[in-house]
Amino acid sequence: MNLKNVLIKITAIVAVVFTAVSCDDDFNSVGSEVIGDVNFEDDEYSAVPIAYSKRFEKVQTSGLPNNLLGVYNDPVYGPSVYSMVSEVLPSQFNPSFGRDAILDSVVLNLPYFSTITETNTEDGVVTNTFELDSVYGSNNIKLSIYHSNYFLRDFDVDEGAEEIQVYYSDDITENFGPSLENRLLFTEQNFRPSANEIRLLTETEDDATDDTDADGTEFSTFIPALRLVLASEDAAAAATVLNPDNTRVGNQELINYFTSLFLDKEGSIELSNPNNFRNYFRGLYFKAESITDDGSLVFFDISDANLTLHYSFETDNVDEEDEDGDGNITEFLRGEGSFILNFSNNIVNSIDFNFANATLNDGTSFENALDNQDEVNGEANLFLKGGEGSYAVLDFFNGMVTNEDGELENELDFLKRQNWLVNEASMKIYINQDEMVSGDTEPERIYIFNSENGAVLVDFLADPTSNQTSPILSVTNHLGRISRDSDENGEFYKIRLTRHLINILNEDIDNVKLGLSVSQNVNVVENAEGFTPNNTEDEVIPFSSVISHEGTILYGNGANVPEEKRLKLDIFYTRSKN
């Protein structure tokens, strides 16, 4: 090996090491030094992909990592309504409720994501102030909760009961039918999530914190939650409620209904095992309805939610001290018990959304624009919408370019011949501010993936920030957060694809089309199924897009896009001048 080749390899290694440790946003020169008689220089190449959008008619909403409930009106794409049906399972089977069991109340508790922002202590009483993390909008909606009689099966009978049953965003409204509304349990005509700490007298539950006020009155506190209490008429009248957001509803008929469903079924096969119980009780249906064009949308972890039956029963101890003050010292004292139902197994969201309800500035409906995409030449706008929405397809390196001999050549073949040392490959994806309503409603993150199988790219796996648990701070080298101007309007997202490009040029991976979507949480890398118009085969869409309520409009590669904002992959490289 001659000295010239040795020097070339040494210089290349130094350049690679320098690039690996550099985290600057912009390209740093790593060549351009003359070593021996070899001269290197830095340069840049821009690859313009064919880019267009696809919309979904329905997306998978079973198996979601988190769930949504309520109404959200996107300022660009219009309203979406999220409802939900879920199975519940008891924390124990074959329960024994005790002698002469009487149901006192039924409590539904769905905690919100929240953080404590302030803690005050006055007269020995601690009061916490909370901020809700994942509530969007501040207007009232109508919320109804039903005992559902629709059976959510585990396996797809159309596939010979060998495949897991997948449920979609339109199943609740289009396919499940009237059995969902088997029995109305609760109704809130003007529901709006509250950040108030919940305080209740004489309540003792596993997720409560006990405290005592200055008068010695004991009470329990809970984090902010959707909390509804159904009680007997007597219990509702006797209870003292410290938090007006969580009132008791007295309804003896429904207390009797739950008594017949559970307490009267002690020892029955219906309460003996999970399969029997699921077929018996079926589940709960949460139906959201809009009151005005705007509403409130709650993003929550339903694994922390439950429906709890509180009951009393006769003990073996006699009330000799007349503790209840009724003058009878021969009756038996009563004890208290609870029967907890947890949300589990099949949980399905519905998403009621229509692209036809909103238009671009030129009056074209989003539905019409998305159904007439130019997949050969690409489009000027890329439409990214979470939920039952849309994503973009990026097709790189399949066009023809003019090579150094003035001849047309396939772009990928041309790039492979260059033998460049690639220092960075990245693209700034600009937001079309003329079509967007900028501000807080713009998605903080977007997400790029293999459109064939939904897999993340190698740059995701190699990102040194990928170990961050916060979805805002995680994978920020590969998937840059939104960049905003001085007025906090979104300008662009920057995505780095350096390792992905190197693997393509080295023929370690195939050059597949890439998908681009919004993301509620870039740490969620599992994928859902979705169906686009006129396509009988399912397509891949990340769960992180399905659970996102937001949308954006980005510039594509169309000829009428301003040159400085045109979508392109900028490849920064080092090469020998010889």
Side-chain angles (χ1 to χ4, degrees):
M1 180 181 297
N2 59 36
L3 179 60
K4 179 178 179 179
N5 289 335
V6 171
L7 292 173
I8 292 175
K9 290 183 176 292
I10 291 174
T11 304
I13 291 172
V14 171
V16 170
V17 171
F18 186 90
T19 303
V21 300
S22 174
C23 295
D24 292 345
D25 286 340
D26 297 317
F27 172 70
N28 293 279
S29 296
V30 298
S32 72
E33 294 290 339
V34 178
I35 304 178
D37 60 347
V38 180
N39 204 358
F40 291 91
E41 66 178 358
D42 302 327
D43 210 341
E44 175 184 350
Y45 176 88
S46 294
V48 178
I50 301 300
Y52 53 91
S53 306
K54 287 188 174 183
R55 76 171 176 94
F56 288 104
E57 290 190 322
K58 61 181 180 180
V59 292
Q60 177 186 345
T61 56
S62 56
L64 295 177
N66 299 103
N67 296 93
L68 293 151
L69 180 65
V71 178
Y72 179 74
N73 189 16
D74 186 274
V76 174
Y77 289 101
S80 299
V81 180
Y82 295 79
S83 297
M84 179 183 66
V85 62
S86 174
E87 292 180 314
V88 295
L89 284 177
S91 57
Q92 61 174 322
F93 293 94
N94 288 317
S96 176
F97 298 112
R99 189 171 64 241
D100 188 29
I102 299 174
L103 183 61
D104 298 318
S105 63
V106 181
V107 180
L108 173 70
N109 192 61
L110 274 73
Y112 306 136
F113 289 118
S114 61
T115 54
I116 296 177
T117 58
E118 186 179 354
T119 299
N120 293 317
T121 302
E122 184 176 350
D123 296 329
V125 178
V126 178
T127 301
N128 295 311
T129 301
F130 287 86
E131 180 178 73
L132 300 184
D133 293 339
S134 302
V135 173
Y136 309 95
S138 58
N139 290 296
N140 294 343
I141 66 169
K142 179 181 178 181
L143 179 63
S144 304
I145 303 173
Y146 296 85
H147 173 205
S148 167
N149 197 37
Y150 185 86
F151 181 68
L152 295 168
R153 58 178 182 262
D154 287 340
F155 296 98
D156 190 346
V157 295
D158 295 332
E159 298 294 333
E162 296 179 355
E163 299 289 335
I164 297 295
Q165 178 67 52
V166 175
Y167 293 100
Y168 295 93
S169 52
D170 65 345
D171 278 334
I172 289 178
T173 56
E174 300 294 331
N175 301 322
F176 286 179
S179 61
L180 276 175
E181 300 182 11
N182 176 52
R183 182 66 180 263
L184 179 65
L185 304 178
F186 301 94
T187 299
E188 285 285 329
Q189 294 291 338
N190 293 286
F191 169 74
R192 181 169 54 185
S194 170
N196 290 340
E197 181 178 49
I198 298 173
R199 289 186 161 194
L200 301 175
L201 288 179
T202 64
E203 291 282 348
T204 302
E205 297 185 18
D206 292 339
D207 55 351
T209 301
D210 293 331
D211 207 340
T212 305
D213 66 14
D215 298 328
T217 304
E218 294 184 355
F219 61 87
S220 300
T221 61
F222 302 80
I223 65 172
L226 164 58
R227 181 181 173 86
L228 299 172
V229 183
L230 175 70
S232 65
E233 297 288 359
D234 291 341
T240 302
V241 180
L242 298 183
N243 190 320
D245 295 314
N246 297 273
T247 56
R248 288 174 178 259
V249 178
N251 190 316
Q252 190 63 51
E253 182 184 359
L254 283 177
I255 288 294
N256 294 341
Y257 179 68
F258 275 96
T259 298
S260 66
L261 286 173
F262 296 102
L263 273 63
D264 291 350
K265 286 290 185 178
E266 180 179 341
S268 68
I269 60 171
E270 286 87 349
L271 306 186
S272 63
N273 61 62
N275 287 335
N276 288 348
F277 183 84
R278 288 174 53 215
N279 188 48
Y280 168 62
F281 187 72
R282 301 290 173 97
L284 295 175
Y285 171 40
F286 296 76
K287 182 179 181 180
E289 297 175 84
S290 59
I291 298 176
T292 63
D293 290 338
D294 295 312
S296 297
L297 180 67
V298 183
F299 183 87
F300 60 94
D301 183 358
I302 201 170
S303 64
D304 289 335
N306 57 66
L307 183 74
T308 303
L309 281 68
H310 295 277
Y311 60 91
S312 65
F313 57 91
E314 194 175 78
T315 70
D316 294 330
N317 300 316
V318 177
D319 186 13
E320 295 177 349
E321 302 296 331
D322 193 19
E323 293 183 10
D324 58 7
D326 65 353
N328 187 346
I329 59 174
T330 63
E331 64 186 352
F332 290 102
L333 291 171
R334 296 191 67 81
E336 296 180 346
S338 61
F339 185 63
I340 301 173
L341 302 167
N342 297 308
F343 293 79
S344 64
N345 206 42
N346 288 309
I347 303 172
V348 183
N349 254 130
S350 71
I351 307 175
D352 186 2
F353 170 74
N354 193 335
F355 275 112
N357 290 336
T359 62
L360 291 159
N361 287 337
D362 64 3
T364 304
S365 74
F366 284 107
E367 181 178 53
N368 186 56
L370 283 160
D371 287 348
N372 292 278
Q373 293 285 288
D374 187 343
E375 299 184 9
V376 176
N377 300 303
E379 289 285 342
N381 288 312
L382 302 179
F383 305 104
L384 274 56
K385 172 70 175 69
E388 188 184 82
S390 57
Y391 76 108
V393 178
L394 309 183
D395 187 3
F396 283 100
F397 315 128
N398 284 319
M400 305 297 289
V401 297
T402 302
N403 62 22
E404 57 269 27
D405 297 324
E407 299 175 348
L408 290 178
E409 183 179 4
N410 175 269
E411 186 173 29
L412 184 56
D413 293 337
F414 168 77
L415 292 175
K416 287 179 178 179
R417 287 195 302 101
Q418 303 310 306
N419 198 27
W420 293 335
L421 176 63
V422 176
N423 301 305
E424 180 180 296
S426 62
M427 52 184 176
K428 287 185 177 179
I429 309 173
Y430 285 90
I431 298 166
N432 186 342
Q433 294 178 326
D434 293 335
E435 295 287 353
M436 281 294 296
V437 177
S438 299
D440 293 340
T441 58
E442 294 181 273
E444 183 71 19
R445 308 295 295 273
I446 61 174
Y447 183 90
I448 197 164
F449 57 97
N450 182 322
S451 67
E452 292 186 357
N453 58 22
V456 296
L457 307 187
V458 63
D459 297 84
F460 185 104
L461 303 174
D463 193 316
T465 68
S466 61
N467 60 350
Q468 298 289 326
T469 56
S470 169
I472 296 298
L473 301 177
S474 187
V475 203
T476 51
N477 282 355
H478 169 46
L479 304 173
R481 295 170 59 184
I482 189 172
S483 179
R484 299 181 182 273
D485 61 21
S486 58
D487 294 325
E488 292 301 307
N489 297 321
E491 286 191 299
F492 63 85
Y493 303 88
K494 184 174 182 178
I495 294 181
R496 289 183 173 89
L497 303 176
T498 308
R499 293 172 183 257
H500 177 71
L501 174 63
I502 291 173
N503 284 350
I504 291 175
L505 297 182
N506 290 339
E507 299 184 350
D508 294 330
I509 61 173
D510 293 331
N511 179 36
V512 299
K513 295 177 181 179
L514 303 180
L516 190 68
S517 69
V518 296
S519 177
Q520 181 73 18
N521 184 346
V522 297
N523 290 327
V524 176
V525 298
E526 294 80 13
N527 299 296
E529 299 176 3
F531 287 86
T532 56
N534 304 318
N535 189 353
T536 58
E537 297 295 327
D538 62 285
E539 298 191 27
V540 174
I541 186 67
F543 269 135
S544 65
S545 177
V546 176
I547 62 175
S548 176
H549 57 289
E550 296 169 326
T552 188
I553 301 176
L554 308 174
Y555 279 116
N557 69 294
N560 57 342
V561 174
E563 182 62 31
E564 69 276 10
K565 295 184 178 181
R566 193 180 186 198
L567 179 63
K568 60 183 183 297
L569 180 67
D570 293 318
I571 304 171
F572 302 95
Y573 62 90
T574 300
R575 68 176 179 181
S576 170
K577 290 182 179 179
N578 294 341

